[in-house]
Amino acid sequence: IPKSRREELQEVLDKLVEDGVIGVSKKGKYARSEAFSVNGLFSGHSRGFGFVTVEGMERDVFIPEDKTGAALHGDRVQIVITSDGQKGRRPEGAVIRVLEHANREVVGYFQKSKTFGYVLPDNQKIAQDIYIPGKDTMGAVTGHKVVVQITDYGTNGRKPEGKIIEIIGHINDPGVDIISIVKNY
């Protein structure tokens, strides 16, 4: 690459590292992100971002909202660290792959739209609502507490998708709150 275009190349490489597509070794060599990846446990936050606890690392790794991929709270993930966390800040990273999903079923509050519905999970650490196609609502109406089986965890900005497998009852019915907590755990 001629000297005149090296700055351009550096911008592209920096963007690829930031997106988690490639990684950089301590010696400054670039390679596929898998070569520099680590595995850990993802802890979600209600505002969309999360943290990954990696065995052997002192501090957990901050994952910005736009870099969580299809990870939900409790998932085992593979990440690439994009910044070391200088000046006392946490290291920052990006999820490149979900190794194991922790949530196959989710309990939440159902809201119906004309042709589809969605469920707001009771677990605040699952920041995304779950899209329910119209054919998979089991006749639930807005206000029902339901159990959703996740059928697609979504990626690239797509929300997780699922189907209702049980209607617990209306949110105001006696005992529904206790049954919801039991189903959650």
Side-chain angles (χ1 to χ4, degrees):
I1 298 214
K3 272 191 173 180
S4 61
R5 300 199 62 198
R6 286 195 185 149
E7 198 172 295
E8 237 179 280
L9 172 65
Q10 191 60 52
E11 285 177 26
V12 171
L13 288 172
D14 290 345
K15 179 71 175 132
L16 289 170
V17 168
E18 184 183 315
D19 290 345
V21 176
I22 62 172
V24 185
S25 73
K26 293 199 184 322
K27 293 182 179 178
K29 296 191 182 220
Y30 294 91
R32 290 180 38 209
S33 58
E34 286 83 0
F36 305 107
S37 67
V38 291
N39 299 342
L41 197 61
F42 182 80
S43 296
H45 189 278
S46 60
R47 293 202 313 243
F49 58 86
F51 300 94
V52 173
T53 306
V54 178
E55 196 173 315
M57 282 183 70
E58 261 182 50
R59 302 182 79 183
D60 50 8
V61 180
F62 174 73
I63 309 293
E65 183 178 5
D66 60 336
K67 303 276 192 289
T68 59
L72 297 175
H73 178 72
D75 288 351
R76 186 143 198 68
V77 295
Q78 185 177 33
I79 63 167
V80 62
I81 296 173
T82 56
S83 81
D84 289 345
Q86 303 91 346
K87 301 178 187 168
R89 297 178 70 196
R90 292 178 196 268
E92 197 169 300
V95 173
I96 55 173
R97 184 176 299 121
V98 175
L99 302 173
E100 183 183 343
H101 287 290
N103 304 292
R104 304 244 184 270
E105 295 177 359
V106 174
V107 176
Y109 175 81
F110 181 76
Q111 287 194 308
K112 186 151 178 55
S113 169
K114 274 190 175 169
T115 58
F116 64 92
Y118 57 95
V119 172
L120 303 166
D122 285 353
N123 185 344
Q124 297 289 310
K125 293 186 176 216
I126 299 175
Q128 300 177 346
D129 52 346
I130 300 164
Y131 171 79
I132 310 293
K135 64 182 177 28
D136 294 326
T137 62
M138 267 185 73
V141 297
T142 298
H144 273 156
K145 278 286 188 168
V146 297
V147 179
V148 177
Q149 181 180 46
I150 298 176
T151 56
D152 180 0
Y153 288 88
T155 49
N156 301 330
R158 268 187 34 247
K159 293 194 177 291
E161 190 173 309
K163 65 179 183 179
I164 295 176
I165 57 171
E166 183 180 348
I167 297 173
I168 298 171
H170 195 277
I171 194 164
N172 295 328
D173 291 347
V176 167
D177 51 350
I178 293 170
I179 295 169
S180 296
I181 292 168
V182 169
K183 294 276 185 192
N184 253 325
Y185 295 97

